[in-house]
Amino acid sequence: MSQNFFKSTRKIIGAGVNYKEVLRITNATKPENPVIFFKPISSLISTDENTIKVPKVFGAINYEAELGVVIGKSCKDVTPDQALSYVAGYCLALDMTGMDFILGARPKGLPWCLGKGFDTSTPVSRLITPEEIGNPSDVRVWCMVNDQLKQDDSTRNLIFSIPELISYTSKYMTLEENDLILTGTPAGAGPVKHGDVIECGLSDIVQMKYHVKDE
Ligand code: MG
């Protein structure tokens, strides 16, 4: 397992609406099961690249800072109790989102994957080991845009826990080494455009900084 784990990633699995505060401020009801979507692996970039590109088809894109879970060994249909034994480590991720596309598609019942799949839409940090992160279910996830704090919450406020996300997804498909699960974003996600600077982090364990530029 190298620091560049994502070069071998074969699936990026995202969880939507997974922080209690997001439910509260949107007056939404708690989903019965995790809301799961995919992102293409071509959307991944490392911190060696420092630019998130806004596709020409989108006016603005949203930042979503998230804790990522990196699978360490193949698993299928695991229980929540078993789930963490299949985790190699964690990462900081941004789940950049073409929100206008999603808001346009969702009410019509149309798929919204194009709003999640554009190039550079999944920046990830280095791999963080389980020892380094300590308790993954109490990690601060924060995000600043142009030096203003926009997101700040803890993974203890997830609706579906990390073991539950792994267990639920593994009922449907085999999770493989280096697969990445994005655990959802805290309240405060919002749009960025050309010229903005995003800085985000997990507690004081790891940070990333990206410049937003038009494609
Ligand atoms: Mg997200």
Side-chain angles (χ1 to χ4, degrees), residues 5-6 44 80 118 120 168 191 207 211:
F5 68 91
F6 60 88
L44 284 164
F118 55 93
T120 75
Y168 178 75
Q207 293 188 23
H211 297 266

Side-chain angles (χ1 to χ4, degrees), residues 15-16 37 64 66 95 97 116 184-185:
F37 60 89
E64 296 187 1
E66 310 202 3
D95 172 21
T97 300
K116 287 283 190 182
T185 202

Side-chain angles (χ1 to χ4, degrees), residues 58 60-62 64 96-106 115-116 118 189-191:
F58 299 139
I61 50 177
N62 276 21
E64 296 187 1
M96 300 303 295
T97 300
M99 193 50 86
D100 289 348
F101 186 96
I102 290 179
L103 293 178
R106 217 155 38 186
K116 287 283 190 182
F118 55 93

Side-chain angles (χ1 to χ4, degrees), residues 3 27 70 109 149 177 194 200:
Q3 296 296 311
N27 258 330
V70 182
L149 188 64
E177 186 179 356
H194 180 85
C200 55

Side-chain angles (χ1 to χ4, degrees), residues 7-168:
K7 297 221 159 115
S8 312
T9 294
R10 295 174 64 181
K11 290 192 280 299
I12 307 170
I13 294 159
V17 200
N18 202 29
Y19 275 83
K20 291 170 187 167
E21 181 66 5
V22 173
L23 271 194
R24 196 188 67 77
I25 61 178
T26 56
N27 258 330
T29 46
K30 181 180 178 282
E32 192 179 331
N33 291 305
V35 177
I36 297 297
F37 60 89
F38 284 114
K39 303 189 78 166
I41 53 176
S42 54
S43 67
L44 284 164
I45 56 170
S46 76
T47 48
D48 295 339
E49 300 167 64
N50 64 4
T51 305
I52 294 169
K53 293 177 191 152
V54 184
K56 290 193 186 100
V57 289
F58 299 139
I61 50 177
N62 276 21
Y63 55 86
E64 296 187 1
E66 310 202 3
L67 173 70
V69 179
V70 182
I71 297 296
K73 55 185 179 206
S74 203
C75 61
K76 179 81 199 294
D77 203 12
V78 293
T79 65
D81 283 351
Q82 300 165 322
L84 288 187
S85 67
Y86 294 94
V87 171
Y90 300 87
C91 68
L92 170 62
L94 281 165
D95 172 21
M96 300 303 295
T97 300
M99 193 50 86
D100 289 348
F101 186 96
I102 290 179
L103 293 178
R106 217 155 38 186
K108 297 178 202 156
L110 295 172
W112 39 268
C113 54
L114 293 178
K116 287 283 190 182
F118 55 93
D119 296 347
T120 75
S121 68
T122 317
V124 290
S125 74
R126 66 178 173 84
L127 184 80
I128 300 157
T129 63
E131 294 73 30
E132 194 182 358
I133 207 160
N135 179 4
S137 298
D138 193 6
V139 175
R140 184 180 166 225
V141 179
W142 59 269
C143 185
M144 295 197 301
V145 177
N146 304 332
D147 293 325
Q148 278 197 305
L149 188 64
K150 299 287 192 181
Q151 297 188 285
D152 192 0
D153 205 342
S154 164
T155 54
R156 71 173 172 270
N157 295 318
L158 289 176
I159 296 167
F160 295 102
S161 67
I162 294 165
E164 286 169 337
L165 292 175
I166 294 169
S167 173
Y168 178 75

